[in-house]
Amino acid sequence: MDPVIVVGAGPVGLALALALAAQDVPSVVLDEGDGTDDPRPARTAILRPDTAALVARLGCTTLGAEGARWTGWRLMRRKQLMRELPLGGRDGAPAPLHIPQHALARGLREAIAGQDLVRLVTGSRLDSLEQHGRSITAHTRGGAAGRWRGSHLVGCDGARSTVRKLLGIRFPGRTAVERHAVAALRADLPWPGEALLHRQPPWRGGGEEVSARPLTDDVWRLDWLLPSRGELVTPDALVGRLRDTLAGWCGETPPYELLDTGVYTLHHRLARRWRAGRAFLAGDAAHLLGAVGTQGLDEGLRDVGNLAWKLAEDWHHVASETLLDSYQAERRTAVAARLRAADQSLPILRGGGGLRTYMPGATRGHDMLLADGQLGNGPLGAPPSYPHSPLAPPRAEARTEVSTPPGGPVVDVRVTAPDGTTVRLGDRLGQGRLLVVLVAPGTGVWDRRHWLTAGVMPRLAAAVTALPVRAELLVTEAYPGASAHSVLLVRPDGHLVAAFGGVRPADLYAAADAARGGAPSARPAGEGAGERAEGQAPEDSAGREEETRPTRDRTANIN
């Protein structure tokens, strides 16, 4: 069997290879570089709880030692504290994890080193690709020049993606949405472990906005929002800005050790198509975002969670075109909504919002938007739902409501497997199986031998065995909003397919069949959608509709 070819060895490409290996799918990762990552302390990643959990499941070895979970978040305007929010612990909101990107990549590489199903090939630059039937061939040049045949190919090769260009896929959007100066330094600041966003700081030259985000070992990353089209920021000017900021926060400039500096520009772009036959796009190759606190790497890792189980299903069993197409339908729609939310927030938060900016309560509303972007809540940052997915099952009378809507990410409750193992629900994700969760209050105090053969369990176990795809039966004491004997069907990436009031074998079967996209198509993969894979055909119908639809906001043509 041919492996999946992953082009690009950044965090998204490495995570995808590990996610495939967790589902017994081999892969070849083509890395243009030499297999190392240059240490850049100022280049960091902020992982929301769902993406941090995904990376942890994949075996990343550096999250604990080199990743920092914030203990709090605060917002200041001029000299006034506007909002303070505790993070983590029993009473705090979920805390993001902040880690240098080179440390994240190194941890993923170390996980791959112990993985027999992943082959990492350095010095491999993609030159061309060909598709034929149920396989795809990549030709590379460089130190590891050669011909690589795979079952699928995924371009995780960044904003200048060679895969995207070879497929002829357009990448429209906006340039220079935001521009930031950034510095990483070691210093003692007044809020150990807490992140700060300071709007309109009162000192001269403070600019519109500056943030401070803690890392481990007393290291901080500072970001200054710059005018989108301003003069070049020289090293001397950046150091002057840093000293003024530290003095503004601490009363005088404290001792500090400057580790790294840089200036970066944020673009907002969205690829027209994310699938072309056996080839797919993920991460920055498919989308660019990052304004007002949105996180591009978060979305890239969510691409991984969504795509890996679908490729695994096709690799092992031959999936339907509906399942493979659902990756674009779900993920592109979710990222487009994120881009649209950021685009609509920018005029309000950065000026140019007209009278709305000065209406009563506007400042509080702005603060909420900024909190959402920074902490991963609301339209700017919350984990996505797929309510209109092509994998959604038909409505059934037995359906019941729980706190998680259909298509939404499930709550990470404690569950027990029939073998007696008690774990978190999240620990069973990403293994290529649907999860069937029975809500059975009181099972925790019963001996497992009793409840396995009592009540609805035998009938439910038989229904799970009869499903058209592999599934695992789990039991939980409680699930938010669920009544006793509710049955939840969960996708391998942790999104709810449906919840039923009681054991309904026929409805459960229909929902599982919908979640796999229906029976595999009779036509060979590579026909239909695959015929567009050479990159020469016109855009899909959705793309044509977008081009003729009146523009309602600045990113309407890409959203």
Side-chain angles (χ1 to χ4, degrees), residues 91 120 206 229 363 380 410 549:
D91 301 324
L120 185 59
R229 288 179 175 83
T363 298
L380 290 175
V410 294
R549 185 182 302 124

Side-chain angles (χ1 to χ4, degrees), residues 6-7 197 221 223 255 268 316-317 320 326 336-337 393 408 424 428 450 458 487-488 490 535 550:
V6 179
V7 182
L197 181 65
R221 169 173 162 165
D223 288 68
H268 280 182
H316 287 295
H317 307 293
S320 68
S326 71
R424 307 297 304 186
R428 311 303 275 197
H450 298 306
V487 176
L488 282 63
V490 182

Side-chain angles (χ1 to χ4, degrees), residues 138-162:
H139 298 270
T140 58
R141 53 189 170 89
R147 177 176 177 272
W148 305 89
R149 174 174 162 142
S151 62
H152 310 80
L153 181 143
V154 186
C156 303
D157 48 343
R160 296 182 175 87
S161 170
T162 301

